[in-house]
Amino acid sequence: RKEVEQDPGPFNVPEGATVAFNCTYSNSASQSFFWYRQDCRKEPKLLMSVYSSGNEDGRFTAQLNRASQYISLLIRDSKLSDSATYLCVVIRSGGSYIPTFGRGTSLIVHP
Amino acid sequence: DVKVTQSSRYLVKRTGEKVFLECVQDMDHENMFWYRQDPGLGLRLIYFSYDVKMKEKGDIPEGYSVSREKKERFSLILESASTNQTSMYLCASSPPDRPLPQHFGDGTRLSIL
C-alpha cells in the first residue's frame, strides 16, 4: 500500500457544484497534513493545513479522520479558477520530519 | 516578493555527464528541498536540508547528491546522469518551524539523452 494515496480523477464538475476529495495515508504515526494546489505547468502552492478539528478557508473545508486515516478537501460553489490538481501532503513523525506528497487529484470545473 | 530561483528552466544533458542543478532562495529559510515530479508518480523527495552543511535523504536519493555550503543555495548533483533521471526537478524552501515545502521554484525540466 502506498504511503499516501489519492484518486487521480479527473473530477469533472459544473460551476457552482460542491466537490470533495479524499486522501488516505498508511502510517498511523503521521503527524501533520496539508493540501496543495498545482496548476498546469506551474509549481505547487500550499493551499491549507488540515487540523484535527477540521478547518475552513472561504469555500474550502479540510478535515482529518484519524480513525480511518484519511484527510478530505471540500470545495463549495466551484469556480472555473478552481481547476487544478490538488495534492495532499503527510508529514510522518519519528526521526526526520519528511513530507510525503500524494500523486494528486485533478479537478476540472466547466461552465 | 519572496523567491526561489532555479538556475535553468530547461536542460539537456547526455548519459554519464555530471549535472548540477542550482537553487537559490532569498527568504533566509533554513529548510530547503529537492523533489522530482513524474507523470503518474507525483512529487518525490530526493534530499532535503535543514541547515547549512546539513542534509537528509528523502525517499529516492540514489544517483543524487546535494550540497548546501551557504544558507541561500541548495545544489542537486547527478553524479553520472542516466536516462531514468529525465524529469521535472523542483526546489523548495521553508522556515524552520515548518518542515514542509512552502515556496517552490519554477522547476527545471531535465532531459538526459
Side-chain angles (χ1 to χ4, degrees), chain A residues 34 36 38 41-46 49 51 87 89 91-92 96-103, chain B residues 9 33 35 37 40-43 45 48 56-59 90 98-102 104-106:
Chain A
F34 304 86
Y36 281 69
Q38 185 172 23
R41 301 186 190 283
K42 296 281 192 180
E43 73 279 12
K45 291 189 194 300
L46 181 61
S49 305
Y51 301 124
L87 307 163
V89 176
I91 296 184
R92 55 182 185 265
S96 301
Y97 291 86
I98 297 179
T100 301
F101 279 78
R103 297 179 187 186
Chain B
R9 194 83 167 98
F33 307 81
Y35 284 87
Q37 188 170 28
L41 295 176
L43 275 153
L45 182 63
F48 70 101
E56 293 249 2
K57 293 180 180 179
D59 296 315
L90 288 156
R98 201 152 221 205
L100 88 160
Q102 191 162 328
F104 279 87
D106 291 337

Side-chain angles (χ1 to χ4, degrees), chain A residues 15-51:
Chain A
E15 267 186 295
T18 294
V19 61
F21 318 125
N22 284 347
C23 168
T24 59
Y25 59 94
S26 60
N27 188 338
S28 60
S30 297
Q31 195 176 54
S32 306
F33 309 89
F34 304 86
W35 283 103
Y36 281 69
R37 168 200 171 117
Q38 185 172 23
D39 294 297
C40 189
R41 301 186 190 283
K42 296 281 192 180
E43 73 279 12
K45 291 189 194 300
L46 181 61
L47 182 64
M48 59 196 300
S49 305
V50 185
Y51 301 124

